Amino acid sequence: MNVPIASMAQKVSVGKKISSDLFGLFFEDINYAADGGLYAELIQNRSFEYNPTEQKDWNPFSFWEYVSPGFSYGRISVETTSPINPNNPHYMVLDVEHVGHEAKFTGTSGVGLKNAGFDGIVLKANDQYNFSVFMRQLSKEPMAITISLQTSTGKVLAENKISTSAGDWKKYSANLISTESCDKANLVILATTEGKIALDVVSLFPEKTFKNRPNGLRTDLATMLADMKPRFIRFPGGCLAHGDGLGNMYRWKNTIGPVEQRKEQRNIWGYNQTEGLGYFEFFQFCEDIGAKPLPVLPAAVSCQNSGGTWRIGGTGQHALPMDEMQEYIQEVLDLIEWANGPATSIWGAKRAEAGHPKPFNLQYIGIGNEDKITPEFTERFKMIFEAVKAKHPEITVVGTVGPSPDGDDFTKGWEIANELKVPIVDEHYYTSPEWFISHQHRYDTYKRKATQVYLGEYASWGNKLGNAIAEAAYMTSLERNGDVVRLASYAPMLAKKNFTQWKIDMIFFDNLKICPTPNFFVQKLFSTNQGDYYFDKVISKNEKDTTLAASCVQDSNAGDIMLKMVNYGSSPKPMKIKLSCFGNIAPEALQTVLSGAADAENTFDNPTNVTPVETTIKISKAFEYIAPAMSLTVIRIKMKK
Ligand code: AHR
């Protein structure tokens, strides 16, 4: 539908209203995206909960080392008899029999534990690190504990001391300020007096987290995501949401409240998730960066690939027994109350207790993640959908239509959506760049005024510039169809170098550095240049040339006009721009060009090999633009004041 833009200064243009939430982010804890990644905790296996179901050789002592400097000796054991909380069953007991007093030894003598974090702890000179631990003194006398940050050769970069007191589990904290920068430091906890003590949730955070939030996020990664200005963030997955078997489904209630009471669990991608980055932190991050939260909850069935059935054809879906469904549905409804209910409601009170009395304004909720559309799924999805619709008509439910752009699950998923009038469904596709180029008209023929689309996961099998430009061409078609495609997010988003389970990702990182892919720059250029009206006659080009794509959107609040021009071909090609429908435009505009060789990519050694180039250009009401070979160009035009 073409409607006039009423709120703008220049009221002459007509455009098609499109989604104002179109481009957002997909977050899944895959590739160590959360623990060891965005979540700023520096200690690995902080709660001694690692176990062989995660990786065969893991156990509660994994990533810890017993240390007894100064000819000291003692014993350690992992115990479970009296934990801080039943959700966090394992803890470490340190029994110090003898602290050495040999003149030959000049360091600190004692018995304790060392942790090297996630492949080393990165310290910055003069920065503060906040240490905390839960301890229960098991012997009569108080014990002296020295906490230090050390280089791999044992040089002490920061040190502090704690003295324990009798009684039950208590949280002890100490600040550590590092005298030097170090890329691979260790945390050492040393009992320097004899006695017996239980320890759990040994934690170390940089003081400088994103927005200085406690239990917060790694600043550089979070800032990079914030700078993309995403309109929404989907979390916690992906397959992580529906889980590897019913016992592994992501249950949001396990991920809120004090971290020592959260339930760690096996990550479907083969490691451990502390849930330290849980629902509260996801919602808080969304709010901090102005993105709408889009939690995806399981549709009461597990991933069809549970038990590794990727290999034998996705037969691993299990469904919650019917007699557990009412409780499960209540869990879904409780999330809405937790997010939006008053602080006086049962679940709203828990949000308030966590420090957020105001509602989070949850608008979208996903039910299911690319599930196999079986009768068991269908029955459960309907029950959950109807319950949410009845109790919370204000919430927009996002359904699911399988893992592919077509096929059996896709067809059946859409049938359910049409029958139930599900507001939005989540389409997923990972395919070749050629597919993206040749399917640019996919949504042109989708029914208007019907179920809308969330393109929740997509990527074109590669992190080279050619892949990113194919995605850019496709994204212009998402804007053109922004009346049908309500939301879209590239996937997966984060990947830690040497810890990846999924090869093609948007942002690679290690403990120190970030390597943005060309795909990231394309996402960022679209995401930071979103509009809520689409104009189809502004850019003209050779319509027969499928390597060319273009779109024009306008942000009705600021009035800015954004032109996106894509050339997936191997030679420069002209496009004509006519801005006559826009009234008084500023004579200068910001032009950003991402271009290069199709096989160009970024690496940790050369992370800016492919990077957008910004220039200010002079423009007029009508001009020609020569789109460079293999390029995305964005021109952002302001209205004259
Ligand atoms: O994005 C990686 C995985 O791809 C997601 O977890 C899953 O939904 C899809 O199959």
Side-chain angles (χ1 to χ4, degrees), residues 366-627:
I367 303 294
N369 171 67
E370 61 170 50
D371 298 286
K372 200 170 179 62
I373 313 293
T374 57
E376 291 76 17
F377 163 86
T378 307
E379 190 178 10
R380 285 158 185 78
F381 176 84
K382 281 185 181 171
M383 289 169 79
I384 303 168
F385 175 73
E386 297 296 2
V388 172
K389 200 171 108 182
K391 179 122 196 245
H392 291 286
E394 76 285 5
I395 295 290
T396 305
V397 173
V398 181
T400 185
V401 293
S404 313
D406 45 32
D408 201 34
D409 293 324
F410 183 82
T411 308
K412 287 185 190 155
W414 266 102
E415 276 165 14
I416 297 171
N418 292 333
E419 180 201 323
L420 300 181
K421 298 195 179 8
V422 177
I424 305 177
V425 293
D426 181 12
E427 294 191 355
H428 292 181
Y429 31 92
Y430 297 93
T431 178
S432 66
E434 293 73 32
W435 186 96
F436 282 93
I437 293 298
S438 60
H439 285 78
Q440 289 178 60
H441 294 283
R442 176 182 175 91
Y443 295 113
D444 294 357
T445 51
Y446 269 49
K447 258 204 226 146
R448 270 52 199 172
K449 295 197 188 316
T451 296
Q452 293 184 307
V453 173
Y454 166 33
L455 177 49
E457 296 184 26
Y458 69 99
S460 77
W461 286 348
N463 286 134
K464 297 189 188 306
L465 181 67
N467 298 91
I469 299 301
E471 287 153 12
Y474 198 74
M475 288 170 83
T476 64
S477 83
L478 301 182
E479 288 192 324
R480 181 174 71 245
N481 287 288
D483 52 337
V484 165
V485 182
R486 174 97 164 249
L487 311 149
S489 50
Y490 180 96
M493 181 168 75
L494 294 175
K496 187 165 191 172
K497 186 181 170 187
N498 301 332
F499 294 88
T500 53
Q501 295 82 44
W502 194 277
K503 232 172 101 196
I504 309 303
D505 303 284
M506 188 164 83
I507 299 168
F508 289 83
F509 65 92
D510 60 19
N511 285 342
L512 272 176
K513 288 185 269 176
I514 299 181
C515 176
T517 61
N519 318 65
F520 160 79
F521 287 118
V522 163
Q523 291 299 320
K524 185 172 178 183
L525 279 167
F526 275 80
S527 184
T528 52
N529 290 289
Q530 306 200 43
D532 51 350
Y533 282 84
Y534 180 83
F535 295 83
D536 65 352
K537 300 235 161 58
V538 173
I539 305 171
S540 49
K541 57 185 175 49
N542 179 357
E543 289 303 323
K544 290 197 188 115
D545 187 343
T546 55
T547 65
L548 294 178
S551 62
C552 170
V553 295
Q554 186 168 29
D555 170 358
S556 66
N557 278 323
D560 292 13
I561 302 152
M562 283 135 304
L563 310 175
K564 301 186 183 87
M565 288 163 284
V566 181
N567 181 0
Y568 183 66
S570 52
S571 60
K573 309 244 172 86
M575 297 195 191
K576 286 199 166 78
I577 293 111
K578 260 205 216 147
L579 297 165
S580 43
C581 65
F582 289 113
N584 278 340
I585 54 165
E588 290 192 332
L590 179 68
Q591 175 181 285
T592 312
V593 182
L594 183 71
S595 68
D599 62 354
E601 56 189 342
N602 290 336
T603 60
F604 278 87
D605 289 334
N606 191 1
T608 54
N609 182 40
V610 182
T611 205
V613 177
E614 284 188 359
T615 41
T616 302
I617 57 163
K618 297 227 177 299
I619 52 159
S620 55
K621 274 294 174 81
F623 64 99
E624 190 178 73
Y625 178 71
I626 309 289

Side-chain angles (χ1 to χ4, degrees), residues 26 28 30 238-240 269 310 369-370 403 428 430 457 491-492 502:
F26 164 98
E28 175 165 25
I30 184 172
C239 289
L240 185 105
W269 299 105
W310 299 92
N369 171 67
E370 61 170 50
H428 292 181
Y430 297 93
E457 296 184 26
W502 194 277

